[in-house]
Amino acid sequence: MSLTAPRTGVLSRRLRWWTELPLIAVVYGVYSVGRLLARGDVSTAVDHGLGILHLEKLLRINAESPLNRLFTEHPSVGIPADFAYAALHYLVTPAVLIWLWKRRPAHYRVMRGWLMISTFIGLIGFILLPTCPPRLLAAGYGFVDTMAQYGSYGWWGGEASAPRGMGGLTNQYAAMPSLHVGWALWCGVVLWQLGKSRLTKSVAVAYPLLITVVVMGTANHYFLDAVAGAAVMGIGLLLVRPTLRLAGRALGRLGALLPEPWRERLAGRLPGAEAGPGGAEAEPAAVAAVAASTPGTSGAAMNVSAECETSAGERIPRQPNHGRGPGADAGATGTDVGAAADEAATATR
């Protein structure tokens, strides 16, 4: 699957950081509020968690149990894992987004869209399937909350990775799917596909695996939560390009209803006219679409000198014979072709 953005219409316009940052902030804010409002009945969440644990035991894939014992018995493993769970989720993902913006701008729009779509799919999972994480199950199930056990070493308290005193601002029963794993997988795919060095590709493989081990060892997620997080990212990847195309068509229709100056601004003064982060040069079809939607222009050609004043007898080279009076020189077209040929020959010297 191509990781570049669809080069159609408005979607190929140049992105600006002062519009991109608010967009990301708004999307993350909506996600955070939605996650908080998705709190369900605690008993239902506990039932879902026990059901997942029972299924894992039947399939013999309950890897979180031995990992949690390892993290609990060895602070040299558990404490770094707690820091990784509390911090990397919020540091590595923005860093990869910034790297895309600066170093791989042609891929930025699709990858950012993939991340956002998958995040909203995960939010739907939190609403439909509230799940109690292993650390909140009764003690008889053998899990220890390492974040609480080693809380004195970090800024978090006993309520997931939330800072002390702010546990009420998080939903501790939003365990299914694990977006810690989902976002880490996104980072890994981006670095693997677009990174060039061996070190980058090594990090691309190691980081998602590390986060998967961490979320299970700290008893914040079941193994199936991690599997669901990966599945959510897969669904988001399948949906991103159709979603971007649909958004492009919607913006194109909106642009056709706007006054001409606003339409040009929305299209970036012809879509993709500037190459920059998230955009490439527009295809001829995109330019023709803007021309066709502009009153007073034809789809065949646009007279670039329509509003230009020239001296008597002066014409712009290669300009079609539009609007010339009955006395126009019939050989002017041939003269223009000759002038164009002269310019092309000069350019190749």
Side-chain angles (χ1 to χ4, degrees), residues 24-346:
I24 294 175
V26 168
V27 169
Y28 185 75
V30 171
Y31 160 75
S32 299
V33 172
R35 176 185 166 116
L36 189 61
L37 296 177
R39 290 175 175 173
D41 180 68
V42 173
S43 61
T44 301
V46 172
D47 290 341
H48 289 159
L50 292 176
I52 292 173
L53 183 61
H54 179 67
L55 178 60
E56 287 187 354
K57 288 181 177 179
L58 286 178
L59 299 175
R60 299 182 182 275
I61 56 173
N62 55 322
E64 60 271 7
S65 296
L67 284 173
N68 184 241
R69 288 195 296 270
L70 175 66
F71 285 24
T72 302
E73 296 171 0
H74 299 278
S76 60
V77 177
I79 293 174
D82 286 346
F83 275 98
Y85 182 84
L88 294 185
H89 187 56
Y90 305 103
L91 296 177
V92 177
T93 310
V96 173
L97 271 173
I98 293 172
W99 177 79
L100 277 170
W101 175 274
K102 300 292 291 185
R103 304 295 296 273
R104 302 291 186 271
H107 303 273
Y108 173 83
R109 194 188 304 271
V110 165
M111 304 310 286
R112 181 259 280 151
W114 174 24
L115 179 64
M116 289 183 175
I117 292 170
S118 301
T119 299
F120 280 120
I121 295 174
L123 180 59
I124 295 173
F126 300 152
I127 296 172
L128 298 181
L129 194 67
T131 302
C132 176
R135 63 185 180 82
L136 294 182
L137 294 176
Y141 291 97
F143 293 101
V144 175
D145 185 353
T146 64
M147 303 292 289
Q149 179 182 2
Y150 302 122
S152 60
Y153 292 91
W155 60 85
W156 55 85
E159 298 172 301
S161 58
R164 293 186 186 91
M166 299 181 65
L169 298 179
T170 186
N171 180 3
Q172 299 192 76
Y173 297 96
M176 170 66 80
S178 171
L179 287 186
H180 271 78
V181 173
W183 286 14
L185 180 60
W186 176 87
C187 293
V189 171
V190 170
L191 295 176
W192 179 269
Q193 290 285 343
L194 305 178
K196 296 181 179 180
S197 68
R198 289 185 178 180
L199 176 61
T200 302
K201 292 187 180 295
S202 299
V203 172
V205 175
Y207 180 58
L209 294 177
L210 170 67
I211 295 301
T212 301
V213 171
V214 164
V215 300
M216 292 192 295
T218 57
N220 278 286
H221 289 282
Y222 305 94
F223 175 71
L224 288 181
D225 293 344
V227 173
V232 161
M233 300 309 295
I235 296 172
L237 182 60
L238 293 176
L239 293 178
V240 60
R241 290 182 67 82
T243 301
L244 289 179
R245 283 194 293 266
L246 182 62
R249 292 169 186 166
L251 288 175
R253 292 177 181 177
L254 174 63
L257 301 176
L258 296 175
E260 183 175 347
W262 291 18
R263 186 186 307 125
E264 291 181 353
R265 180 176 298 180
L266 180 65
R269 301 190 183 280
L270 294 185
E274 296 176 332
E281 291 184 0
E283 294 175 323
V287 178
V290 174
S293 65
T294 304
T297 62
S298 67
M302 294 169 55
N303 189 342
V304 297
S305 66
E307 298 179 5
C308 298
E309 295 182 3
T310 58
S311 60
E314 181 182 355
R315 297 187 66 253
I316 297 177
R318 298 188 300 277
Q319 183 62 23
N321 189 17
H322 290 310
R324 303 184 67 188
D329 182 9
T333 302
T335 303
D336 291 344
V337 173
D342 292 341
E343 288 184 11
T346 302

